[in-house]
Amino acid sequence: NFVMKMYSVPYTLDDLKKEFQAFFHFSFEQGSFLERFIKAYQGIKRITKFGVSSCGHLLQNKELIRYLEESKF
């Protein structure tokens, strides 16, 4: 048994889609290995910020934290 909870995040689905589209777009660009590596690193870094932001936002969600405490999670 489990309960699925949804929570808001500080960005839109459109923001996330745009970042992934940009990441995949440059994946097919020409350039030296170093140029492509740097672009990939920067893209992954930007996408990772979405996940970190979501986690931080989740931990500040008082209602969800209260629910977890009350359910003895």
Side-chain angles (χ1 to χ4, degrees):
N1 288 334
F2 66 91
V3 175
M4 182 179 289
K5 292 277 189 183
M6 295 181 70
Y7 60 94
S8 63
V9 292
Y11 52 85
T12 66
L13 180 59
D14 195 43
D15 294 335
L16 189 59
K17 283 182 181 180
K18 284 179 184 176
E19 198 59 55
F20 272 105
Q21 287 173 345
F23 180 77
F24 290 121
H25 175 74
F26 83 77
S27 297
F28 297 102
E29 289 180 356
Q30 298 292 322
S32 70
F33 172 78
L34 183 58
E35 289 171 327
R36 291 182 290 135
F37 178 82
I38 291 171
K39 285 183 180 181
Y41 173 76
Q42 291 170 339
I44 291 169
K45 194 172 162 184
R46 283 192 305 272
I47 289 170
T48 301
K49 283 184 181 181
F50 282 96
V52 171
S53 176
S54 294
C55 291
H57 198 73
L58 171 64
L59 292 174
Q60 294 177 13
N61 185 326
K62 293 183 189 315
E63 180 183 329
L64 183 59
I65 298 300
R66 186 178 320 108
Y67 170 80
L68 293 173
E69 289 171 347
E70 290 172 357
S71 67
K72 310 258 190 266
F73 180 76

